[in-house]
Structures are given as C-alpha cells and as structure tokens.
C-alpha cells in the first residue's frame, strides 16, 4: 500500500516544480513556415508591405518609435519576432510563398559592432486574410547581444518582400525593450 502512495505523491511534487515562464518572459510565438519560393527575377509590380505583430491573431503594424519587446529564444539569444503583411490582389492564391529579407541598422553604440546580425533572408508561407497576405507565423530575428546591451537601443528595421512578379519594402524605427 505504501508504494502505491509514493508514486502519486512524487508526481504531484514534480508537477509543482515544473518549468514555466521565468521572470515574466513572454512565450515564443509560432515560427513562420518555410516553403519553396519558385518565381522569376522580374519584379515589375510594387506592393505595400508592413511589419508588425500578430501574436493576438490580428496584425498590428509597428509605428515609428514603437517599443518592441525582446524575447529570449530557445537557443539562448535575444530576438524579436515580427510578422509581415503584404497587400493582396483579388487573383492571389489563398496561400503563397514569399522571399522576405529583414535588415537591421542600429543607432548608437551598437551601430558599428561587427557581431550584429545585419540581415537575414527567409522563404516563408503567407496566408490570404481579406485584402492582405500575412506570414503564417513570426520571423525569429536574433541578435548577438544580451538583454542589457539591447534594451533601449534604436533600430531601423527594413523588410523587403518578393513575390511572383512583385516586391515591396518598408522601414520602421523601433526601440528594443
């Protein structure tokens, strides 16, 4: 009888010591899905592009000067996790693949630090939502520095999106928090 009680008691105690969010760290959103971007190199059309947050289920563009929260990634680096939105046209498919490039330009002390990630490029799935195509998850955009070095830093974040026959670019100034 005693051994029958030890296992449930141990399981209960183990559940109390589980690993949850630490220090009010936000959860990491789902990463955008990879896909093959198969289209030509002729981008004759321009479309409106925006970068922002859709963790609530609704895309909200970053405004110039907005604070963007840093998240501790699974591999230990600090990152931001933006979503990207592209103007959709009536003939666009419900799911499309785009080439997305995120580029950083820091102001202040990090501007000339060679450890910084200057740019990253992704092939990502987009889903048609009304009059927009929105990335089907967040972009994991990591940095080389710790939270203390990044907090309060101003960053010009530029997104360039290429689709079948079109491209668009948007830059926004954000503050890392």
């Amino acid at each position: 009888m005693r051994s029958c009680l030890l296992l449930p008691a141990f399981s209960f105690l183990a559940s109390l010591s589980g690993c949850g969010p630490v220090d009010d760290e936000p959860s990491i959103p789902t990463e955008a899905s990879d896909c093959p971007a198969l289209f030509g190199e002729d981008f004759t059309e321009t479309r409106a592009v925006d970068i922002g947050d859709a963790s609530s289920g609704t895309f909200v563009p970053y405004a110039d000067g907005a604070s963007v929260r840093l998240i501790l990634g699974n591999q230990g680096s600090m990152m931001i996790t933006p979503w990207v939105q592209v103007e959709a046209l009536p003939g666009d498919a419900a799911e499309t693949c785009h080439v997305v490039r995120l580029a950083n330009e820091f102001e202040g002390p990090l501007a000339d630090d060679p450890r910084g990630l200057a740019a990253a490029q992704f092939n990502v799935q987009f889903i048609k939502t009304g009059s927009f195509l929105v990335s089907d998850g967040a972009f994991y955009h990591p940095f080389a520095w710790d939270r203390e070095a990044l907090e309060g830093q101003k960053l010009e974040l530029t997104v360039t999106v290429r689709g079948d026959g079109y491209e668009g670019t948007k830059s926004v100034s954000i503050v890392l928090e």
Side-chain angles (χ1 to χ4, degrees):
M1 177 82 163
R2 191 178 247 163
S3 63
C4 292
L5 293 176
L6 285 177
L7 185 57
F10 177 75
S11 296
F12 173 73
L13 289 174
S15 72
L16 293 177
S17 64
C19 298
V22 179
D23 297 328
D24 196 32
E25 189 68 40
S27 61
I28 300 172
T30 302
E31 186 173 17
S33 303
D34 291 339
C35 59
L38 304 172
F39 43 81
E41 294 294 319
D42 191 17
F43 305 105
T44 57
E45 187 182 327
T46 300
R47 292 201 189 177
V49 173
D50 224 328
I51 188 164
D53 182 33
S55 58
S56 67
T58 302
F59 183 85
V60 179
Y62 293 154
D64 273 330
S67 293
V68 175
R69 186 159 176 124
L70 291 160
I71 295 176
L72 180 62
N74 289 333
Q75 296 181 353
S77 65
M78 298 309 300
M79 65 180 178
I80 57 174
T81 54
W83 273 259
V84 174
Q85 173 178 276
V86 178
E87 173 187 14
L89 297 179
D92 288 338
E95 294 184 11
T96 58
C97 190
H98 289 79
V99 175
V100 177
R101 184 175 187 273
L102 297 175
N104 304 325
E105 188 173 325
F106 281 97
E107 296 178 19
L110 299 182
D112 297 321
D113 192 326
R115 295 179 302 149
L117 178 64
Q121 186 165 298
F122 311 85
N123 291 355
V124 173
Q125 187 75 38
F126 279 65
I127 307 297
K128 192 171 187 179
T129 306
S131 57
F132 297 100
L133 297 162
V134 180
S135 58
D136 74 346
F139 292 86
Y140 288 6
H141 196 53
F143 302 107
W145 304 279
D146 60 17
R147 182 181 297 278
E148 291 74 30
L150 290 166
E151 286 179 330
Q153 291 297 306
K154 292 181 182 178
L155 169 68
E156 181 84 12
L157 183 61
T158 301
V159 60
T160 302
V161 179
R162 290 183 168 175
D164 193 11
Y166 59 88
E167 71 178 348
T169 299
K170 170 81 181 240
S171 292
V172 64
S173 295
I174 60 174
V175 179
L176 301 174
E177 71 172 28

